[in-house]
Amino acid sequence: CKEDIQPNGKKLPVGTFPMQEVTLNNLSTFKEAKSNWLIAGDVYADRNVDRAIEVTDGEGILVNVPDDNNKDNLFTDFEHVDIDLELEVMMPKSSNSGIYLMSRYEVQLLDSWGIPDPKHGDMGGIYQRWDESKPEGEKGFDGISPLTNAAKAPGLWQHFRIVFKAPRFDSNGKKTANAMFKEVYLNGTLVQQNIEVSGPTRGAAFGQEVSSAPLMLQGDHGPVAFRNIKYRSYNGKKVILSEMKVSQYKSIDDTIREFLSQTPVLAVNTDSISFLQATQPDQYLLLYEGNITIPDEGEYFFTLQLDGGGYFVIAEDTIINYDYYHSFADKAIAKTKIKAGTFPFKLIYNKPSRRWRKGLALFAEGKNIARHPLHAPSSIHINKPKNPIYISASESVITQRSFMMHGDEKRTHVISVGSPIGIHYSYALETGTFLQAWHGGFLDATPMWFERGPSQLSEPLGPEIEFHSGPTIAFLKNKDAIWPDSIQKDIVYKQEGYELDDFGYPTYKMKVEEVVMSDKVLPNKDNHQFTRNIHLDNATSDTYVKLAEGKNITLLPDGTYAVDDKKYYLGISKSDGGNILVRETGKIQELLFKAENAVVDIIYETIW
């Protein structure tokens, strides 16, 4: 299971059971689809033309192309209660649409690229409710703006993840709890969290709230495309612990040995699980005993995290054997099939040493039951400063060295450059690689500077986009040779520092064998884009420069390239001294420059 216990707004919560995919080879998974909805194999939305969308025959993409006479909404053939929804959406320039949970509660879809202060009507907003009986200027209410603008440029695929909780009703049909957007992620960035919705938002298909209903995609506003629609639907039930008691014993060592022969130093009834119930910081063992109620028969995942060792037992079955010492960051995950009913359980937590490391967590998840904690919130120890340590670039260009994560890899020779115009990037000095870019705040240095700063990491403070990770320059025997993942063996890569211009932007200097590279990356103040200037001296016929890689790279009609299945755009404005080529290697395509002259100049724009 990849879900973080301490979410930082950057990582998506991922459940353990697989998501169910909405088939898009025809419209049979939807109710009475009208003619404005169709299935396509590819779509292209020119980022410079309002509401333009072009469709290519095929399967896998759902497209809305409305006109004055055909602009109906689309409803799924399944109904949902609580749901974890994941999909990708493409917004043409100036277009507008919406995702309506239960056909009633809208997450707004809008071309909001570059808007500095997004509102409820922008991409990722929870749209406002509407009361026609109220005075002018007060009819709209309860709209919620996204926490940040994570929208990409029109014509690019954008990823949503929505964790939604349906309203609750008692046996008489009276509402007892409002609908809630627990989390909404846009392009990997948290934009909504724990937002209650008191009733249907404007444009809802129905005014009456219910306990379950279909998902609705808005079709009466503008063209839009969807793909990779997946979901988990939950029934709102939970695994329950009851009639618990906790006993505390002395811990012998990292191994859980016979301890019941001891006289416990603590034995009390409890209604929660928490390491804070121990009477000392370490050298203890906690034994929880009680009943566990399983609401539905079927398969369940149980996840145990702790600083130490432990066991989890239901009835006579040992579900998790996690003896010896483990870090809280590790996870013991067990899958078991169990009948509905109430059973005795035992949970053992052995904490022999390392008092500064704390935490005890137990999670449960069923096929139709959302992952939820069985421990108290206090049982997860989060050591945070009173105030996070942020680095601002609001007044001048800032350069900062640190470690940074790039995908799953920790990069150790990274410089990040922050700009007062709010567009920033990171650069790998050892390989001369433009690693990632983002907008918004500059850096969170808390993991690097708080207390011992063990990770030495800094983190972007805005929605980031990652590029390829390998070296910028390589020597290839021919155009089909494999690009190296890191610096080439027996090739000398020498980083020769950087020079700052009058504004503080660096120009990087690198020597690869006898090839001398000068590299400068500059932000564009009007858009989310960077211009990169690469100059080479002493280039040879086997010198190549990698500009991009991805699942596929397509040359668009406007002359730019759509990279990694329309993840971002790359426009080449200068390519002197060689040729541009797109090649396929394995499962990816690469955009390369092959040097033909000793002196090379490349200028390209990265737009997202």
Side-chain angles (χ1 to χ4, degrees), residues 106-354:
E106 182 185 10
V107 176
Q108 172 73 343
L109 303 180
L110 189 79
D111 170 25
S112 300
W113 185 49
I115 293 176
D117 185 22
K119 306 300 182 185
H120 71 268
D122 283 301
M123 190 76 154
I126 306 301
Y127 206 74
Q128 66 182 356
R129 301 190 63 203
W130 192 262
D131 188 343
E132 194 63 44
S133 67
K134 290 187 175 184
E136 290 298 325
E138 300 178 15
K139 297 180 186 296
F141 61 99
D142 284 357
I144 305 295
S145 303
L147 296 172
T148 188
N149 186 0
K152 289 187 178 182
L156 297 176
W157 285 111
Q158 309 196 54
H159 183 275
F160 266 99
R161 184 138 199 171
I162 301 169
V163 183
F164 175 81
K165 184 177 179 181
R168 298 296 194 254
F169 300 87
D170 64 18
S171 58
N172 296 318
K174 180 181 178 181
K175 187 170 72 169
T176 58
N178 287 326
M180 175 181 285
F181 288 94
K182 296 180 70 175
E183 293 171 326
V184 178
Y185 290 87
L186 172 57
N187 297 320
T189 296
L190 186 68
V191 294
Q192 302 285 354
Q193 187 171 38
N194 295 330
I195 301 300
E196 283 196 40
V197 187
S198 59
T201 58
R202 190 178 187 185
F206 308 97
Q208 182 72 26
E209 293 185 282
V210 294
S211 57
S212 68
L215 183 73
M216 184 185 90
L217 302 176
Q218 192 173 46
D220 63 350
H221 277 45
V224 62
F226 300 91
R227 70 177 184 182
N228 296 331
I229 305 173
K230 304 174 184 179
Y231 69 95
R232 293 189 198 89
S233 186
Y234 305 115
N235 57 24
K237 298 178 182 179
K238 290 185 177 182
V239 173
I240 302 295
L241 303 181
S242 61
E243 299 181 20
M244 289 191 295
K245 66 177 182 179
V246 59
S247 302
Q248 179 180 323
Y249 298 84
K250 179 178 175 58
S251 174
I252 299 172
D253 55 29
D254 283 357
T255 302
I256 299 173
R257 302 180 182 180
E258 294 295 329
F259 60 90
L260 291 176
S261 60
Q262 302 179 32
T263 300
V265 298
L266 172 75
V268 297
N269 294 330
T270 182
D271 60 359
S272 63
I273 291 174
S274 173
F275 76 89
L276 293 175
Q277 292 169 332
T279 60
Q280 56 199 69
D282 62 2
Q283 298 183 349
Y284 63 81
L285 183 149
L286 295 180
L287 168 63
Y288 290 91
E289 298 175 280
N291 291 328
I292 183 169
T293 300
I294 306 297
D296 296 329
E297 180 176 357
E299 291 184 330
Y300 286 81
F301 279 98
F302 291 95
T303 302
L304 180 63
Q305 291 181 248
L306 39 73
D307 274 302
Y311 282 84
F312 179 54
V313 180
I314 298 178
E316 300 300 322
D317 294 330
T318 299
I319 307 301
I320 296 176
N321 178 342
Y322 206 38
D323 204 355
Y324 300 98
Y325 198 92
H326 305 274
S327 167
F328 185 80
D330 299 328
K331 299 177 177 69
I333 304 173
K335 183 179 181 181
T336 185
K337 188 172 183 179
I338 191 167
K339 293 181 179 181
T342 299
F343 310 94
F345 85 93
K346 292 181 182 179
L347 174 65
I348 298 172
Y349 173 37
N350 183 35
K351 176 66 172 172
S353 59
R354 303 170 180 88

Side-chain angles (χ1 to χ4, degrees), residues 50-64:
D50 285 352
R51 299 166 66 90
I53 193 164
E54 297 178 14
V55 177
T56 302
D57 290 343
E59 300 177 353
I61 299 175
L62 174 67
V63 189
N64 176 44

Side-chain angles (χ1 to χ4, degrees), residues 55-105:
V55 177
T56 302
D57 290 343
E59 300 177 353
I61 299 175
L62 174 67
V63 189
N64 176 44
V65 187
D67 57 40
D68 291 341
N69 299 316
N70 300 281
K71 49 182 180 179
D72 286 44
N73 298 325
L74 186 66
F75 299 85
T76 59
D77 63 356
F78 68 86
E79 294 191 356
H80 70 88
V81 184
D82 300 346
I83 192 171
D84 185 353
L85 175 68
E86 184 176 342
L87 55 78
E88 290 177 272
V89 60
M90 180 187 290
M91 299 303 302
K93 186 175 186 290
S94 303
S95 195
N96 184 346
S97 186
I99 304 167
Y100 284 78
L101 284 298
M102 301 184 76
S103 307
R104 289 163 172 82
Y105 315 100

Side-chain angles (χ1 to χ4, degrees), residues 541-571:
S541 59
D542 60 350
T543 303
Y544 288 76
V545 178
K546 179 181 279 193
L547 307 182
E549 71 174 31
K551 296 177 183 177
N552 54 57
I553 298 174
T554 306
L555 181 61
L556 300 176
D558 65 1
T560 60
Y561 290 90
V563 180
D564 199 12
D565 200 11
K566 299 185 177 73
K567 178 182 176 182
Y568 66 94
Y569 298 114
L570 191 148

Side-chain angles (χ1 to χ4, degrees), residues 364-418:
E365 177 189 358
K367 186 174 182 181
N368 297 306
I369 297 171
R371 187 172 187 262
H372 58 283
L374 301 180
H375 57 271
S378 61
S379 196
I380 294 178
H381 177 67
I382 302 176
N383 190 21
K384 290 185 176 181
K386 292 182 180 179
N387 297 301
I389 305 170
Y390 292 160
I391 303 175
S392 172
S394 60
E395 296 183 359
S396 61
V397 177
I398 299 292
T399 56
Q400 177 63 52
R401 291 287 302 272
S402 72
F403 293 175
M404 292 199 82
M405 295 302 299
H406 184 267
D408 295 328
E409 181 183 2
K410 180 184 279 190
R411 303 298 293 260
T412 57
H413 297 73
V414 176
I415 184 169
S416 296
V417 180

